[in-house]
Every structure is written in structure tokens, then in C-alpha cells.
Amino acid sequence: MATNEPFFELNTYIKYLRSASLFRGIPEDKYQNVLNCLQARVEYYPARTSLVNAGDKDFRAGVLLEGGLEEFIYDENGNPVVISHLKSGSVFGAELACGSSLASQFYLDASVDSRVLLLDFQILLNPSTLTCPYRMQVTANLLQELANQITFFNTKVRILSQKKLRDKIKVYLQTQEISEDGTIRLPFSRSKLAEFLYVDRSALSRELCRMRDEGVLTFSGSKITMLDYYFLAG
């Protein structure tokens, strides 16, 4: 169950706001103005508690400050299908909060103990906020975030549309940041990766072992090192 923290201590969370795309281009000394305008409040969610359920309409969007959130749906057999894992600084629920009477099609749970900054984005659509000097910047940042989410969902559809498991892995790895030495650090565990790819965990492990034996990559825990750079380029 969520715990409300009515007094928002800006200094406690400012480091998280600096990394949040929603506050890009806004001077730090004006953060409080934006928070006041959007009626910000902080809530704490213990691990495995729900923020949003499918069918919900009346909820606030916001920014994840600390912890992690998991967005998912259920398939026809009641198995969870992970849509995305959100980390600190991520915006959630904006596409629904900015809409009119839209019901959520997904579930959103705290995967670990989390604190979120809840905001009322519908205020941005209110003519009374036209006088706010940072309204346009926040709105532009929000639109950019929505565009990024559309790109992400398109990639997710592309992953799920692949018939071969290796192709699913390939498309996913193409979306990840790769260091100069070919290292990719996965943002979650092997079991969570299997859920994200919507595949059996054992099948995923077997395929990764085949790719290792074929000299495509090596892996250890959440770290994958690419050996065959042409694999991701093809």
C-alpha cells in the first residue's frame, strides 16, 4: 500500500530531478515552481505493490525517483508479459494522464521499494497555466518523452514479432548501449529478460549458451560481451 509523504523536500530529491528528462532545460532554482504548478507529491510504494491496474482511469502520472517499476499485461493464460522496466528519472503514465477518460491497458507495480513523484499533467492543458514561463519547456519535454515511448513500443512490437528466439535476442541487444570493448550491461536479471522477450527462461539460457559456443558472445550475470560485431550489424 502506498504511503503519502506530504512534505516534498526538494533537496532530498534534486539529484533525481536533474536526471529526469521532464526537467531538462529548467534551472534548478525553478524546480520548485514547476512542482508547485503540477501539484507534486511524493509517495512510497513497497516492493510488489501496485500503482496502476488495467482499467484504471483516475490516477496521476509522474517520475520515478528511487527504486524500480515494472509495466506489464497478462496474456490469455494469465502469464505476465513485461512491457518495460522503469528506472530512476523515468516518466510513467503520461500518455494516459494527458488523455481524456482513457483507461489503462496495463499494470504498473513497484518491483522493489520505490518512491515516485506524482504530478498532474492535465494542468499543462489548462489555459490558466499559460502565464507560467516554464510551461512550454515542461510540455516540450513531455512530448519528447512520449515520442521516446512510441519508439520504444515500436521496438517492443518488432521484438515480439520475431519468430526465432535468436532474432528476438538480436533485436533487443541492438537497442542496448554497447561500450567500446563490446560490453552490454543488461538492466535486469536473466529471468526478467525472458519475461521481457516473452520466451521461456530455459530456452533463453540454451540459446545464449549456443551463441557463446559459436563465438557470437560471452556472458556472465547481467553482462554480455559481443565477440562477433557483425551479428548486431546484420
Side-chain angles (χ1 to χ4, degrees), residues 42-57:
V42 174
E43 287 197 1
Y44 170 75
Y45 289 86
R48 295 180 296 280
T49 57
S50 177
L51 284 75
V52 180
N53 290 307
D56 285 354
K57 292 184 179 181

Side-chain angles (χ1 to χ4, degrees), residues 15 25 31 36-37 45 48 50 58 64 70 92 94 122 141 143 146 172-173 183-184 189-191 196 206 221:
K15 63 179 180 180
Y31 283 1
N36 292 341
C37 177
Y45 289 86
R48 295 180 296 280
S50 177
D58 185 19
L64 173 61
E70 188 172 85
F92 61 88
Q122 287 197 347
N141 291 343
L143 288 173
L146 292 173
Y172 173 74
L173 293 179
T183 298
I184 297 172
S189 66
R190 186 84 56 79
S191 60
F196 183 82
R206 287 194 299 271

Side-chain angles (χ1 to χ4, degrees), residues 38-107:
L38 297 181
Q39 300 179 3
R41 73 173 189 264
V42 174
E43 287 197 1
Y44 170 75
Y45 289 86
R48 295 180 296 280
T49 57
S50 177
L51 284 75
V52 180
N53 290 307
D56 285 354
K57 292 184 179 181
D58 185 19
F59 67 90
R60 281 195 176 188
V63 177
L64 173 61
L65 298 173
E66 299 176 299
L69 303 179
E70 188 172 85
E71 188 178 57
F72 63 97
I73 57 175
Y74 288 103
D75 66 15
E76 64 278 7
N77 297 314
N79 300 311
V81 180
V82 177
I83 300 173
S84 64
H85 295 271
L86 282 67
K87 59 183 181 180
S88 178
S90 298
V91 176
F92 61 88
E95 70 282 6
L96 297 174
C98 292
S100 177
S101 300
L102 293 177
S104 174
Q105 301 298 310
F106 58 82
Y107 297 83

Side-chain angles (χ1 to χ4, degrees), residues 23 29 31 37 44 49 53 55 57 79 133-134 147 149 159 163 167 177 190 195 199 211-212 221:
F23 289 83
D29 62 349
Y31 283 1
C37 177
Y44 170 75
T49 57
N53 290 307
K57 292 184 179 181
N79 300 311
Y134 297 103
Q149 289 183 13
I159 290 172
K163 292 183 173 60
D167 290 336
E177 183 177 350
R190 186 84 56 79
E195 290 179 8
V199 299
M211 296 170 74
R212 178 197 59 197

